[in-house]
Amino acid sequence: MTPASRPLGGRLKIRLEALGHGIFYLTLRLFGQLGAYLLLLPVIAAYAATSRKIGRKTAPYLSRRFPSAGRPGRWLAMIRNLTSFGQVLVDRAWLGIKDGDLRGEFIGYQQLEELVNRGRGVVLLTAHVGNWQTALARLDSLPTRVHALMRYDQEAAAKHYFDLRDGRRPFEIIDSEGPWGGMIEATAALQRGEVVTIMGDRLVKGSAVTVDLLGDPARIPEAAYFLAGSVGAPVVVMFAAKTGRKSYQLRVWDSWYPRWENREQRAEACRNSGARFAKNLQEYLDEYPHQWYNFYDFWQQ
Amino acid sequence: MEELKEKLKRILIDEIKIQGMTPADLKDDMPLFGDDGLGLDSLDAVELVVLVQKHFDVQIADMEEGKEAFASIASLANYIHQKKS
């Protein structure tokens, strides 16, 4: 659809969004990160007060993560969730525009590096939690090439972040929309001993495993475990978290080798791997309950 | 080349486990992927890349090579033959 052929409401929405972004960028340039954080507060308050849609989008997660919270408690959790997300967006723009100084610690980097140095490739599994784009940006220190299997154009937040950095990306994109879902390139990269990062939470297409997350079954992609097990690479779970106004943490939460002797064992091995990832994700959410950024009904995907 | 094709058919049946078929049922020009062929999917493509590397020490590095190699059993045999010679 060309811009001119969009309905008036759609065009207006796009212009208002562009205006909103412009105001945030101007605030960032003039008043820095803190100024933009302050601007977030009235915007989020107004959004939360007037938009029913955002309530519907956050409810599937918040009702499971805070099951005993009453209406006010759930509303507060939504505000904290949105504020946390807004701050990550601000940080990303701030890093891109001003090369802002975020202090990061990387727990488990040595373990990750050791696995990379074994030369069997590494499937680095992460999720849409915390400031995960920052995590991807830190991977340039690994002693091998890093690839990200994703629909880059659909990952608007990541695209925005890395495009702001003059297109300097610390990883190469493998387009998951390409033929065979990018799996041939991903397999070849692992065979060369390189790293392939995959978002392990969102199921866009392809085969899935059903896991328990926050007390209910959810479907997550199977491809990462299949890929790792097929080439003999380890799966490494790494999540990022914003830990302060100017600090963040990357942590390797777990690592293992999915293994199977035959096709009969394969499905079970992938299911077990999915369950292990979900357990890691739940532990992360116990620690950082407001840094979940899948704003849709994750349990219906 | 015939021997190579037969070996590939055996690998497809024994290791990819195409259901209800024997090597004799597989025609040289049968597409490997898609509903009008053997119906392999993207996860099977991973296995096939790994098996080609394991049995023939040939790497299929990207989708362009994959498109060329995975069109049919005959094209995969040709691809391996070219890479080995």
Side-chain angles (χ1 to χ4, degrees):
Chain A
M1 187 183 281
T2 61
S5 66
R6 286 197 179 97
L8 182 63
R11 274 181 287 165
L12 190 63
K13 190 180 168 208
I14 288 169
R15 287 194 178 179
L16 282 174
E17 277 176 4
L19 178 66
H21 286 149
I23 291 171
F24 264 102
Y25 286 125
L26 186 65
T27 307
L28 263 177
R29 285 180 196 280
L30 293 177
F31 304 107
Q33 182 207 34
L34 189 58
Y37 275 14
L38 290 173
L39 181 60
L40 270 178
L41 298 176
V43 171
I44 287 171
Y47 197 34
T50 58
S51 170
R52 286 186 179 178
K53 196 169 149 192
I54 195 63
R56 282 198 301 272
K57 287 188 170 195
T58 52
Y61 167 69
L62 295 176
S63 61
R64 288 173 174 87
R65 179 59 186 83
F66 302 103
S68 55
R71 224 177 137 98
R74 197 77 56 77
W75 194 81
L76 199 62
M78 180 179 77
I79 296 288
R80 290 189 67 181
N81 193 187
L82 294 177
T83 304
S84 172
F85 184 58
Q87 288 179 345
V88 167
L89 295 178
V90 166
D91 286 355
R92 223 160 39 210
W94 184 55
L95 281 171
I97 293 172
K98 307 267 277 188
D99 254 347
D101 58 331
L102 279 186
R103 291 180 305 276
E105 58 170 345
F106 197 151
I107 298 171
Y109 178 81
Q110 205 173 357
Q111 182 191 349
L112 176 59
E113 196 178 42
E114 278 169 19
L115 288 169
V116 169
N117 285 336
R118 288 183 193 174
R120 305 291 304 271
V122 169
V123 172
L124 192 58
L125 208 51
T126 186
H128 294 83
V129 294
N131 42 355
W132 56 273
Q133 298 86 353
T134 311
L136 292 181
R138 281 288 298 270
L139 298 178
D140 58 355
S141 57
L142 286 174
T144 189
R145 284 164 75 191
V146 177
H147 308 261
L149 180 64
M150 61 164 64
R151 293 195 307 174
Y152 189 55
D153 284 332
Q154 298 297 313
E155 292 286 2
K159 188 173 187 321
H160 202 194
Y161 173 58
F162 291 109
D163 289 354
L164 274 173
R165 293 158 62 95
D166 305 322
R168 285 178 289 124
R169 286 195 307 262
F171 53 84
E172 292 165 39
I173 304 290
I174 297 176
D175 183 7
S176 61
E177 284 297 284
W180 299 291
M183 296 297 271
I184 290 181
E185 281 87 344
T187 308
L190 292 171
Q191 286 177 323
R192 292 191 300 266
E194 296 165 4
V195 173
V196 176
T197 71
I198 298 179
M199 306 304 284
D201 52 347
R202 286 186 193 168
L203 178 64
V204 180
K205 63 175 185 179
S207 57
V209 291
T210 301
V211 299
D212 182 89
L213 185 66
L214 297 172
D216 280 320
R219 294 169 74 232
I220 59 171
E222 181 187 31
Y225 318 115
F226 189 94
L227 201 51
S230 296
V231 301
V235 168
V236 176
V237 176
M238 181 188 77
F239 297 133
K242 186 168 166 60
T243 50
R245 186 162 79 83
K246 290 190 173 182
S247 62
Y248 67 92
Q249 181 196 80
L250 300 182
R251 193 192 312 173
V252 171
W253 286 71
D254 200 356
S255 67
W256 69 94
Y257 285 86
R259 290 185 208 276
W260 52 81
E261 295 294 322
N262 52 49
R263 288 173 80 91
E264 288 69 38
Q265 291 177 3
R266 190 175 74 192
E268 192 187 349
C270 287
R271 262 197 313 277
N272 291 342
S273 286
R276 195 159 166 173
F277 173 74
K279 185 171 171 283
N280 291 146
L281 187 55
Q282 188 153 324
E283 285 166 2
Y284 173 93
L285 295 170
D286 287 344
E287 208 165 320
Y288 304 103
H290 303 292
Q291 298 196 35
W292 166 268
Y293 304 138
N294 287 306
F295 297 124
Y296 62 94
D297 193 346
F298 187 82
W299 286 263
Q300 291 298 318
Q301 71 178 356
Chain B
M1 186 64 84
E2 286 309 311
E3 198 182 322
L4 184 53
K5 283 185 220 167
E6 289 310 308
K7 187 170 179 183
L8 282 170
K9 288 176 186 176
R10 177 56 59 194
I11 288 169
L12 284 166
I13 296 296
D14 291 348
E15 303 201 43
I16 304 275
K17 305 272 187 199
I18 295 170
Q19 298 288 322
M21 292 185 113
T22 67
D25 297 326
L26 302 180
K27 297 191 171 42
D28 292 357
D29 59 351
M30 210 177 236
L32 299 178
F33 295 85
D35 294 337
D36 54 344
L38 293 178
L40 302 184
D41 62 17
S42 60
L43 295 186
D44 295 317
V46 171
E47 279 206 287
L48 206 44
V49 170
V50 172
L51 289 169
V52 167
Q53 167 89 33
K54 178 178 146 190
H55 289 281
F56 306 102
D57 197 23
V58 167
Q59 194 183 48
I60 298 167
D62 55 40
M63 67 176 180
E64 289 309 317
E65 290 187 10
K67 274 182 192 166
E68 182 192 336
F70 289 162
S72 64
I73 290 167
S75 59
L76 182 54
N78 267 329
Y79 181 84
I80 293 168
H81 182 70
Q82 281 172 16
K83 290 279 178 179
K84 297 294 280 182
S85 56

